[in-house]
Amino acid sequence: MTSARLHNARAQRGVATLVVVMVLFFIISLVAAYTNRNLLFEQRTSANQYRSTQSHEAAQAGIEWAVAMLNSGRITTACTPSTSAGDTNFRQRYLTIGANGVISANASASGSVPYLSARCVFNGNGWNCDCPADGTPAPTVPTGAGAFPAYGMRFVSLTGTPPPGVIRLETIACARYDDACLDFNNNEGDEGRTRMAVLVALYSSIKTPPGAAVTAQHDVSGDDTGQAVNSNQAAGGVAIQAGGSVAGVKAVGPAGTPSAAAIVGNDTSLSGLLGASILGGTDASYRMFATYFGLPVASYPLQPGTIVLDDCPCSDTDLRNAVNANPGRPIWVNGDLNIDSSGAVGAASDPVTVIVSGNVTATAAVDLYGVLWGNINGVPATNWTITGPLTVHGAAGSNTSVNVITGASLVYDRDLLDTLRKNSGSFVVVPGSWKDY
């Protein structure tokens, strides 16, 4: 009996050990399952965060891309640079600037969408974009493995009484290209999605247009063949405004007024700018230039919308090509400008700001519509010379002295200058206007 009982006891101890092992195994299985659940949850969270970050960065890229495109030249429907005069630039395609300076977003001509829009999709190396003049954009979507995030953008007119020169820019971005996700009117979708909005404003190429046909901080001189004309009595009728003396240039004011009445010489409001400090400089040119253009000399060519022509002297062909390819953008000429073929530069409906650091010489009849400003870095004793059969419709001026000779004609046009102020310049993001949702 003793041997049988001992055997049974040993057998029972084996069963108890098995029960303990099974309980421990069950507990370990529960821990493993819980750990695996956490890993799956973390993986899904990480994937969602990755897609959310992708769409957020794409939406931000859309904001920056749209602002850059506003400051670009003519483009094709694929949003690439164009040399065709039949193509518009981005701001012309998507925005309309009214006579009061208020900017509105263009609607689809076919009525298929309330506001025109553009879209881009990442192809692995760059972006495929579509900037249609009508209808819904449809960029080429890449195939194969990859996330290929995408964004769409549109402008939205401000309601109420909008301030001049300001428009709302919206972007919507998704972790992958999907028409439903990129639809601004669709608030649902299973993709990582981000919407952003900012206000963008037009920083005018000339903040305060001159009040005379020719403006100089120092003297205005000529050989008695050049003239300055301001027949607009409502605009003051001043043909020449100078901080120094005026001689050798015919001044023509409103009908019935003597020539002397169209001249304001020895104007201390101009000559008194000498030595005044502004924006890091004490030279008169800093103050004089910033008074009219709103920026220091060194900063103006760095604007995103400014076209800079380097390695001049430059020809009228260089200037015309730059003007025609870049509506609404100011032109900065580093050096002399030589005009030797007839024709217009700019137009009354589309004037241009041209800043020339050197002299301007015309050997052919040319009409320039807008503002011609010169010799920005000159010293007071330097004459900025305008020579030849050049007619400026709008205004001309210099931080130094101006020498108008050999038949040059400067004709003041306040309406044209007002059009230039409202339509030309660089678009920038309004600080503090950014939001996402």
Side-chain angles (χ1 to χ4, degrees):
M1 295 296 296
T2 302
S3 176
R5 288 177 179 176
L6 180 60
H7 176 74
N8 289 337
R10 289 176 177 173
Q12 290 173 357
R13 284 198 299 270
V15 171
T17 301
L18 179 61
V19 171
V20 171
V21 171
M22 292 297 293
V23 169
L24 291 176
F25 179 77
F26 178 71
I27 293 174
I28 292 173
S29 298
L30 288 178
V31 172
Y34 183 77
T35 302
N36 186 58
R37 176 182 177 278
N38 282 348
L39 288 174
L40 292 175
F41 178 78
E42 291 296 333
Q43 286 179 337
R44 291 175 180 174
T45 301
S46 297
N48 289 339
Q49 180 65 32
Y50 177 71
R51 294 165 66 197
S52 175
T53 301
Q54 270 191 320
S55 66
H56 185 277
E57 294 299 322
Q60 185 65 49
I63 293 287
E64 296 177 358
W65 176 81
V67 174
M69 292 299 290
L70 283 173
N71 294 310
S72 66
R74 299 184 189 275
I75 57 171
T76 66
T77 56
C79 314
T80 56
S82 171
T83 57
S84 172
D87 286 328
T88 59
N89 63 358
F90 198 78
R91 63 177 74 178
Q92 291 174 324
R93 191 167 301 178
Y94 292 99
L95 302 175
T96 296
I97 302 178
N100 57 358
V102 173
I103 304 176
S104 58
N106 291 340
S108 170
S110 63
S112 57
V113 290
Y115 293 112
L116 288 176
S117 62
R119 288 181 183 175
C120 295
V121 57
F122 188 66
N123 62 18
N125 295 309
W127 296 86
N128 297 335
C129 298
D130 188 30
C131 300
D134 193 17
T136 302
T140 302
V141 180
T143 58
F148 305 128
Y151 61 77
M153 59 72 52
R154 70 176 183 178
F155 297 100
V156 177
S157 301
L158 300 180
T159 58
T161 306
V166 180
I167 190 73
R168 180 183 176 92
L169 166 62
E170 294 183 353
T171 61
I172 188 168
C174 306
R176 68 178 181 87
Y177 189 92
D178 180 78
D179 286 323
C181 181
L182 292 171
D183 186 351
F184 282 95
N185 299 315
N186 177 25
N187 294 320
E188 298 180 0
D190 58 358
E191 283 300 316
R193 190 185 199 205
T194 301
R195 293 188 68 165
M196 287 187 183
V198 295
L199 296 180
V200 293
L202 179 65
Y203 192 90
S204 179
S205 65
I206 181 160
K207 301 290 289 184
T208 306
V214 57
T215 304
Q217 185 159 19
H218 304 292
D219 303 330
V220 174
S221 60
D223 62 356
D224 294 318
T225 64
Q227 67 173 357
V229 180
N230 185 355
S231 59
N232 192 329
Q233 184 68 59
V238 177
I240 302 174
Q241 183 179 12
S245 63
V246 177
V249 179
K250 182 181 179 181
V252 180
T257 61
S259 178
I263 298 174
V264 177
N266 299 308
D267 188 345
T268 57
S269 67
L270 297 177
S271 61
L273 293 174
L274 279 170
S277 176
I278 184 171
L279 299 172
T282 57
D283 186 83
S285 64
Y286 283 87
R287 188 75 179 183
M288 180 75 170
F289 188 84
T291 296
Y292 293 105
F293 294 93
L295 285 173
V297 171
S299 299
Y300 195 91
L302 302 180
Q303 291 184 91
T306 301
I307 296 294
V308 179
L309 300 180
D310 280 319
D311 301 323
C312 293
C314 290
S315 68
D316 57 299
T317 300
D318 298 325
L319 178 62
R320 286 194 180 93
N321 288 343
V323 171
N324 294 337
N326 299 279
R329 301 176 67 184
I331 310 297
W332 182 283
V333 180
N334 274 333
D336 293 337
L337 176 62
N338 300 321
I339 301 174
D340 58 8
S341 63
S342 60
V345 176
S349 60
D350 190 17
V352 63
T353 299
V354 180
I355 302 171
V356 184
S357 65
N359 293 317
V360 178
T361 302
T363 57
V366 173
D367 290 276
L368 187 149
Y369 295 87
V371 169
L372 180 64
W373 197 269
N375 210 9
I376 56 174
N377 293 319
V379 296
T382 302
N383 280 330
W384 178 55
T385 302
I386 304 176
T387 305
L390 169 66
T391 300
V392 176
H393 303 269
S398 173
N399 304 342
T400 61
S401 296
V402 177
N403 190 22
V404 183
I405 60 176
T406 320
S409 181
L410 311 174
V411 182
Y412 187 77
D413 190 328
R414 187 171 70 171
D415 292 337
L416 185 147
L417 293 176
D418 193 50
T419 299
L420 179 66
R421 180 179 61 84
K422 294 173 182 176
N423 291 271
S424 174
S426 298
F427 276 92
V428 295
V429 174
V430 177
S433 66
W434 178 90
K435 62 178 283 188
D436 63 356
Y437 49 97

